[in-house]
Amino acid sequence: HDDFCNRKKELEDLIRHAHNGYNVVLMSPRRIGKSSLVKRMLGTLSGEGYLTAFADFFLVVSEHDFVSRFARALFSGIGQGIDPRSFLKKMKELFGKFVVGVEAGDNKKISVSVKFDPSVKTEILLDDLIEGAVAYLKKTGRRATVVLDEIQEISSIPNYKRIEGGLRAQMQLQREISFFFVGSRRRILNDMFSSRSRPFYKSAFMYVLDIIPREEFIPFIMERFQMSGKSCGLEVAGEIYDMVRGYTYYVQKLASIVWDLTERECTSSLVKRAYDNLLSSEETDFSGVWSGLSLSQKALLRALAEEPTSTPYGREFLQRHFISVGGTQAAIKVLLQKDLVEQEKVDEKMYRVTDP
């Protein structure tokens, strides 16, 4: 995948952790490229004979939904490259609490469906899943890496500690599966894994993914243009990077829109045109976020987008943006929690909108 800029060290780090059987929390803001990085890691591990599974919890709504997504990912991992009939027989032997169905989709990929009795406790279902998987791994002499993407979303489920407790208990009992917990809401993840009252306390190695440095990304952009017979100078490539604060997803998207607009040579005015296109293509995503906020949260988010500040409660700032100190105190808590606003790493006091 040629558009995968660098990340060589990070990929090596994560693969090494998987080889060592560590559990890892991989966190960064959205759109820095976590998911594509872990998928590359799984691709490499799968080539080495590892059993790999990827479950996405971004839209998870209940304990049962969690169990179902987790089970489907695990069963799909086990089913890779196995004949569907022997796969179903195997599933019956390994998992007592689940009824597994299989459909052959396009290009011989199987899609797995899962049924289970919803009155059974979550912890018991998780035990059945992980113990069955471990039995399979021991029998085949393999190891497994399981990625749980957007894991912070389980915090919004009632009784989420049952999920955390069930997983933690199993993580301590076996060495065959290493778990990668991936997420973007850093406050919640920190709380999940660093707070003594949570089952996941100190159960995984923390790995923070940062933006790709300017001096690595800019030559990469220039080179991509050059390879296709177009040119993009150092300064203009820098504008592409700076305009979206170096966020991997946006740098790549903006660069590709500019590339489409460029006949031979990329210019500043083309970058500005491409930026407008980028904004309109992202609009639905933002309007979804926006419509879920209260009026005081919207007012503060808008104020910080216009003017990042280290004094959100300062009188001048509040007056300039027509917001009250009470409304701001409540709103800032929620916006930090949702990872819509962050405090700058360099200057801990500076509040600004997370997503450039």
Side-chain angles (χ1 to χ4, degrees):
H1 180 35
D2 289 345
D3 294 333
F4 197 79
C5 169
N6 203 283
R7 292 287 191 218
K8 225 168 111 182
K9 178 192 177 298
E10 292 89 338
L11 193 57
E12 280 167 8
D13 287 347
L14 296 182
I15 289 169
R16 191 174 64 250
H17 290 326
H19 286 165
N20 292 333
Y22 294 157
N23 300 310
V24 177
V25 180
L26 175 67
M27 60 176 158
S28 78
R30 282 181 69 206
R31 321 222 172 218
I32 295 273
K34 293 183 298 297
S35 298
S36 45
L37 182 63
V38 289
K39 283 177 177 166
R40 271 181 77 101
M41 170 193 79
L42 291 179
T44 303
L45 292 169
S46 179
E48 296 174 358
Y50 275 65
L51 173 78
T52 59
F54 180 93
D56 183 354
F57 297 106
F58 188 58
L59 298 172
V60 71
V61 292
S62 65
E63 284 178 77
H64 291 139
D65 187 25
F66 175 87
V67 170
S68 171
R69 285 165 187 263
F70 184 51
R72 277 204 310 272
L74 210 50
F75 298 158
S76 303
I78 293 174
Q80 275 166 11
I82 298 181
D83 165 66
R85 278 185 305 258
S86 61
F87 167 67
L88 287 176
K89 189 168 165 280
K90 201 169 252 118
M91 294 288 105
K92 250 197 182 114
E93 291 163 12
L94 291 168
F95 303 99
K97 306 260 180 278
F98 293 84
V99 178
V100 184
V102 164
E103 262 173 60
D106 328 327
N107 61 37
K108 288 197 174 154
K109 261 197 142 167
I110 59 167
S111 75
V112 173
S113 67
V114 171
K115 287 196 185 89
F116 55 89
D117 177 354
S119 66
V120 178
K121 282 184 169 167
T122 300
E123 296 92 328
I124 293 175
L125 291 168
L126 288 173
D127 286 352
D128 188 54
L129 275 177
I130 294 170
E131 284 163 12
V134 167
Y136 170 74
L137 292 166
K138 283 184 167 158
K139 210 161 142 186
T140 52
R142 294 167 77 189
R143 286 172 58 198
T145 302
V146 174
V147 171
L148 307 179
D149 199 15
E150 300 295 357
I151 189 66
Q152 75 276 343
E153 297 305 317
I154 66 171
S155 296
S156 57
I157 298 173
N159 301 319
Y160 61 84
K161 282 194 180 172
R162 290 208 285 241
I163 296 173
E164 293 181 10
L167 281 176
R168 174 70 198 252
Q170 283 295 338
M171 282 157 65
Q172 285 172 316
L173 289 173
Q174 53 80 32
R175 281 279 159 268
E176 282 74 19
I177 304 173
S178 58
F179 289 92
F180 279 66
F181 301 94
V182 180
S184 45
R185 286 161 69 179
R186 292 158 290 173
R187 295 233 155 183
I188 300 179
L189 281 169
N190 268 323
D191 189 48
M192 273 173 94
F193 289 90
S194 310
S195 144
R196 286 173 185 280
S197 62
R198 298 285 286 267
F200 281 144
Y201 177 62
K202 294 213 160 151
S203 63
F205 180 86
M206 294 290 213
Y207 193 95
V208 179
L209 193 63
D210 248 330
I211 60 173
I212 295 173
R214 203 170 183 275
E215 63 277 9
E216 282 175 25
F217 222 145
I218 289 172
F220 177 78
I221 296 168
M222 293 165 70
E223 192 184 300
R224 309 293 312 158
F225 271 82
Q226 205 177 350
M227 279 165 66
S228 61
K230 301 180 182 186
S231 79
C232 179
L234 184 69
E235 224 164 275
V236 180
E239 279 173 31
I240 292 173
Y241 183 91
D242 295 337
M243 217 161 209
V244 289
R245 288 207 323 250
Y247 269 48
T248 316
Y249 168 84
Y250 292 131
V251 174
Q252 292 185 330
K253 198 160 177 185
L254 182 58
S256 109
I257 299 171
V258 179
W259 184 87
D260 282 337
L261 295 174
T262 303
E263 298 269 318
R264 318 257 318 247
E265 190 185 351
C266 180
T267 62
S268 284
S269 64
L270 286 175
V271 174
K272 288 190 181 67
R273 248 177 72 195
Y275 186 72
D276 291 339
N277 291 358
L278 174 67
L279 281 182
S280 55
S281 75
E282 294 294 326
E283 199 175 316
T284 48
D285 199 28
F286 292 128
S287 38
V289 171
W290 183 252
S291 62
L293 300 176
S294 73
L295 286 173
S296 58
Q297 288 158 15
K298 285 177 179 174
L300 179 60
L301 190 62
R302 185 169 159 175
L304 291 172
E306 287 172 12
E307 181 191 351
T309 180
S310 57
T311 53
Y313 308 120
R315 209 176 69 204
E316 286 91 355
F317 179 78
L318 296 172
Q319 279 174 349
R320 259 198 305 283
H321 298 284
F322 309 105
I323 46 185
S324 71
V325 72
T328 298
Q329 280 168 332
I332 213 156
K333 251 193 168 128
V334 175
L335 295 176
L336 285 166
Q337 190 77 359
K338 289 183 185 258
D339 216 29
L340 294 172
V341 164
E342 65 181 6
Q343 283 176 284
E344 277 233 287
K345 264 213 297 287
V346 193
D347 170 8
E348 275 297 328
K349 295 182 186 66
M350 200 65 159
Y351 290 90
R352 66 168 183 195
V353 174
T354 306
D355 189 319

